[in-house]
Amino acid sequence: MAMPIDQKEWLSLTEASELLGVHPATLRRWTDAGSVPFFRTPGGHRRFRTTDLAAWMQGKQSTALTRQAEALVQNAVGYTRQEMAHKHVSNESWYLAFEHESDRQQMRDTGRKLFGLAIQYMSRTRDHEPVLQEGRRIGEFYGQECARQGISLVDTVRAQFFFRESLLRAARPGQASPGQYDAEDVRIHRQLRHFLDEVLYACLDSYEATCRHLLQAGGKA
């Protein structure tokens, strides 16, 4: 009987990536960047000590990864702002519906949180559900707010697709053409699209539910 991974002292790249819940190519990049400790055998193979990985997972050596994730969020936010200016989003009816700066700031803060969740989701190979549930909650919030602001369903979808496409473009590896994607790039993009699909479905479901509630409340008035 094979020994469980978490009971071994030294792990291969594949075993270590399975323990961390990431793709082997992701772990390889982390080791190349010096984020995760490892030992290279005389034959050139990476080996990982289980106790080192446990300490890393507890956050003792994860500051480099946190900075990387924050940099990706900053890049996505910056790209989206450029797209908003280029496409004159401030003239769109769904943008103008939020008249108060405090409301717009709340939407910006929520969008930044959503970007962070999307990056978490696409970097994982397991334990997706908690991140996905949080993304759905944000989608529900968007649907409620759009319905309460009187934004049409069509404009709600337009707003969702604008931010969706901005994030997908920002996450494209090196702005590579599709023919230059490797298997890991394809996996990441597929997961990101799935995450954003679920956010959109939650938004539309919440929009309809809020509209029904508002109609019922109006009928009782």
Side-chain angles (χ1 to χ4, degrees):
M1 182 181 295
M3 181 181 296
I5 288 177
D6 58 1
Q7 293 182 18
K8 292 183 177 181
E9 181 179 3
W10 291 96
L11 305 178
S12 66
L13 177 69
T14 300
E15 291 172 330
S17 63
E18 182 179 342
L19 183 65
L20 294 174
V22 300
H23 193 276
T26 301
L27 180 55
R28 188 179 293 111
R29 286 199 297 268
W30 290 349
T31 59
D32 290 342
S35 301
V36 180
F38 73 100
F39 169 77
R40 192 178 295 276
T41 68
H45 300 291
R46 293 174 172 86
R47 292 292 182 267
F48 302 83
R49 193 191 300 270
T50 307
T51 53
D52 290 341
L53 294 177
W56 188 85
M57 286 189 290
Q58 290 170 3
K60 294 180 180 178
Q61 302 179 33
S62 62
T63 54
L65 179 60
T66 301
R67 288 196 300 268
Q68 182 185 35
E70 180 62 22
L72 288 171
V73 173
Q74 291 282 12
N75 180 62
V77 171
Y79 184 87
T80 300
R81 287 174 177 168
Q82 291 178 5
E83 286 288 283
M84 291 179 70
H86 177 70
K87 296 183 178 180
H88 306 290
V89 167
S90 59
N91 295 327
E92 295 286 347
S93 57
W94 54 263
Y95 182 88
L96 294 172
F98 294 92
E99 299 178 356
H100 303 293
E101 179 58 28
S102 59
D103 293 333
R104 293 177 181 174
Q105 185 60 50
Q106 183 181 26
M107 298 299 282
R108 285 193 288 267
D109 291 342
T110 306
R112 184 183 180 86
K113 181 179 180 181
L114 180 64
F115 283 3
L117 289 170
I119 290 167
Q120 285 187 52
Y121 188 84
M122 72 182 189
S123 66
R124 295 186 177 193
T125 59
R126 64 181 184 182
D127 299 328
H128 294 103
E129 195 58 30
V131 180
L132 190 58
Q133 287 294 346
E134 188 63 25
R136 289 185 181 123
R137 280 192 283 270
I138 289 179
E140 292 170 359
F141 168 77
Y142 283 150
Q144 291 172 1
E145 289 302 304
C146 287
R148 288 170 179 165
Q149 294 291 342
I151 300 173
S152 69
L153 181 59
V154 170
D155 281 341
T156 298
V157 173
R158 282 176 177 158
Q160 286 288 309
F161 267 89
F162 170 79
F163 290 106
R164 170 195 175 93
E165 292 306 308
S166 293
L167 181 54
L168 287 170
R169 292 192 186 100
R172 186 180 301 166
Q175 300 299 311
S177 63
Q180 295 175 304
Y181 282 11
D182 60 20
E184 175 68 356
D185 294 330
V186 172
R187 181 193 68 80
I188 287 174
H189 232 239
R190 185 181 294 119
Q191 286 194 183
L192 179 56
R193 286 185 177 277
H194 175 69
F195 177 84
L196 295 174
D197 283 346
E198 291 298 317
V199 172
L200 176 60
Y201 301 150
C203 173
L204 298 181
D205 188 54
S206 176
Y207 181 96
E208 292 183 346
T210 303
C211 285
R212 288 194 298 269
H213 175 76
L214 291 173
L215 285 173
Q216 292 172 358
K220 295 177 180 179

